[in-house]
Amino acid sequence: MKTVRRPGLRGLLLPASIIVSFLASSSAPTPLYAIYAGQWHFSPITTTTVFGTYAIAVLTALLVLGRASDHLGRKPVLLGALALQTVAMVVFSEADDIGALFAGRILQGVATGSALGTLGAAMLDVDRERGTRANAVAPGLGSGIGALFSGLIVQYLPAPTRLVYVAFIGVFVVQALGVALLPQTTGRRPGLRAALVPELMVPRHLRRTLLGVAPVLFAVWSLGGFYGSLAPALARQLSGSGSVVIGGLGLFVLTVVSSVTTVAFARTPARTVMFLGIALLVLGSLGTLVAVEASSVTGFFASTFVSGIGFGAGFQGGMRTVVPLVAEHERAGVLSSIYVICYLGMGLPAIVAGILVVYGGGLPAATRDYSLFVVAFAVATLITLLRTSSTRRPADLTCAAHQDVRCAPCTNP
């Protein structure tokens, strides 16, 4: 019996691994924030501002550089992003004050923002269906692995504020060699100068679809922002342990469970998955409220598990609703627009939460307020999805069911 090879699977591995390593390096400082705060004596506001600075840098790069690969080609943009990530790791490894931490996060954000749309488009170039799935799996997997990997190094190995960044430098060098050996899949096209003007690149036929899923993406990534900034301190407080592994475990559970969920629901209709994601996001956030009130670390991680399913279902449902309708020359720009929504959700609420920790009653009170925000936003999103579902035309429903780019002409202009 002849073995049928899955087309394009090998070609997905390198770009997917780069997304994983970029997002892993972005979450690597998460377990280290407590060490930095102890050394440099800064408050939770500074922690969330550093976190938010990264999100803002990603947003800026997405807006300015998100479409560059459609004109320069994928390889030059990816090689530049990998070089910039390497420089960011050097800055982190040599950091001796909060200014260096901000500088490293800005460099890291620009590198990540310039590459996300390009990497996503490169995976779609190889295989549209599996590329869409990989775009939904890789970010969460990377964030979770980075937080746990960093926590283990900090807890058990020497030179904790340097070794983790040196390890990532090695990863980026190997990946740069892999990119250099790849054939160029897209050639140069005119219009680069116009493409660098900040703009959300959303074709007319996709605008209504993207606006429909934008609240879902914002809601799930706002939870990711909490777990990347304040949840480590909350986990240590609830457990009564100073372990940085415990601090990074929350983000690991959230994001890895979300990635497993993406694979598990790969064949479930996208709209159904979005409804499930929002419902579980509400349930998980309410569970976090109960856990904090009861000072239960077990309840906290159980709620994190439920929220992780909600995160994965909501994110992949949104991605699968939009991405299959994107034409080849629009891929990098549209994916960049999607990530703009995601990083707005990640950055803005996290900064507000840091202010609430200092001026609003401490970490438990800020967690309560943040959880209530996520619940309120998720419920509003659920109502919007229900209303949209009841008013959609039969042709629109056919498009959602097919999830095929050939359906694009029948969507509303």
Side-chain angles (χ1 to χ4, degrees):
M1 180 174 167
K2 187 177 180 179
T3 301
V4 179
R5 294 183 63 184
R6 306 182 86 181
L9 186 59
R10 184 176 299 176
L12 293 175
L13 292 179
L14 180 58
S17 76
I18 296 174
I19 291 182
V20 169
S21 65
F22 274 29
L23 272 294
S25 68
S26 75
S27 63
T30 296
L32 289 165
Y33 285 139
I35 294 177
Y36 292 138
Q39 291 177 347
W40 304 329
H41 310 290
F42 57 77
S43 72
I45 293 179
T46 303
T47 298
T48 55
T49 302
V50 169
F51 185 86
T53 297
Y54 165 76
I56 292 170
V58 172
L59 287 170
T60 303
L62 284 167
L63 289 170
V64 177
L65 302 173
R67 294 179 289 156
S69 71
D70 287 336
H71 300 274
L72 292 174
R74 311 293 188 219
K75 282 179 64 173
V77 174
L78 291 180
L79 288 172
L82 284 162
L84 198 57
Q85 279 280 17
T86 302
V87 173
M89 294 301 102
V90 173
V91 172
F92 278 130
S93 67
E94 300 298 323
D96 56 5
D97 58 24
I98 190 65
L101 203 58
F102 274 106
R105 290 301 263 175
I106 291 170
L107 289 170
Q108 192 176 50
V110 172
T112 302
S114 65
L116 278 178
T118 302
L119 290 164
M123 290 191 289
L124 293 174
D125 291 343
V126 174
D127 187 303
R128 189 178 63 190
E129 180 183 350
R130 296 188 182 93
T132 300
R133 195 177 308 157
N135 270 296
V137 171
L141 192 64
S143 297
I145 289 174
L148 186 63
F149 174 70
S150 177
L152 290 171
I153 287 181
V154 171
Q155 189 74 36
Y156 299 112
L157 295 179
T161 58
R162 290 194 175 191
L163 186 58
V164 64
Y165 302 121
V166 172
F168 276 112
I169 289 174
V171 171
F172 294 144
V173 169
V174 172
Q175 289 175 332
L177 291 174
V179 171
L181 295 174
L182 287 176
Q184 180 68 282
T185 57
T186 57
R188 289 178 175 268
R189 291 172 48 229
L192 175 61
R193 183 174 299 180
L196 296 179
V197 176
E199 180 185 5
L200 290 177
M201 176 59 183
V202 182
R204 178 179 290 274
H205 72 269
L206 285 177
R207 290 174 188 172
R208 179 172 294 186
T209 304
L210 183 56
L211 285 174
V213 303
V216 179
L217 299 174
F218 189 97
V220 297
W221 278 66
S222 67
L223 193 66
F226 172 77
Y227 276 89
S229 56
L230 293 179
L234 179 64
R236 289 193 298 270
Q237 182 173 314
L238 292 175
S239 66
S241 169
S243 170
V244 293
V245 176
I246 291 292
L249 193 58
L251 182 59
F252 175 79
V253 171
L254 180 84
T255 54
V256 172
V257 168
S258 77
S259 296
V260 173
T261 300
T262 300
V263 176
F265 290 101
R267 299 298 178 184
T268 306
R271 201 164 185 82
T272 302
V273 174
M274 278 197 296
F275 282 124
L276 176 66
I278 290 298
L280 290 177
L281 200 65
V282 171
L283 184 61
S285 298
L286 291 175
T288 300
L289 279 173
V290 174
V292 170
E293 291 297 323
S295 298
S296 170
V297 68
T298 302
F300 169 75
F301 282 112
S303 300
T304 300
F305 186 92
V306 174
S307 296
I309 300 175
F311 187 113
F315 182 47
Q316 75 135 325
M319 291 287 281
R320 285 173 48 206
T321 299
V322 177
V323 171
L325 304 177
V326 181
E328 181 178 351
H329 67 281
E330 300 165 342
R331 287 171 178 170
V334 172
L335 284 167
S336 295
S337 298
I338 290 173
Y339 279 113
V340 165
I341 297 167
C342 295
Y343 276 91
L344 278 173
M346 173 186 282
L348 294 181
I351 293 174
V352 173
I355 297 172
L356 291 175
V357 170
V358 176
Y359 299 108
L363 186 56
T367 301
R368 178 198 64 215
D369 294 341
Y370 202 105
S371 298
L372 289 174
F373 162 78
V374 172
V375 168
F377 199 89
V379 169
T381 300
L382 187 61
I383 293 171
T384 301
L385 286 174
L386 289 170
R387 292 180 62 185
T388 304
S389 181
S390 65
T391 58
R392 295 176 79 194
R393 299 182 307 164
D396 295 331
L397 295 173
T398 301
C399 284
H402 289 170
Q403 291 293 304
D404 192 279
V405 73
R406 289 170 295 180
C407 293
C410 71
T411 58
N412 290 328

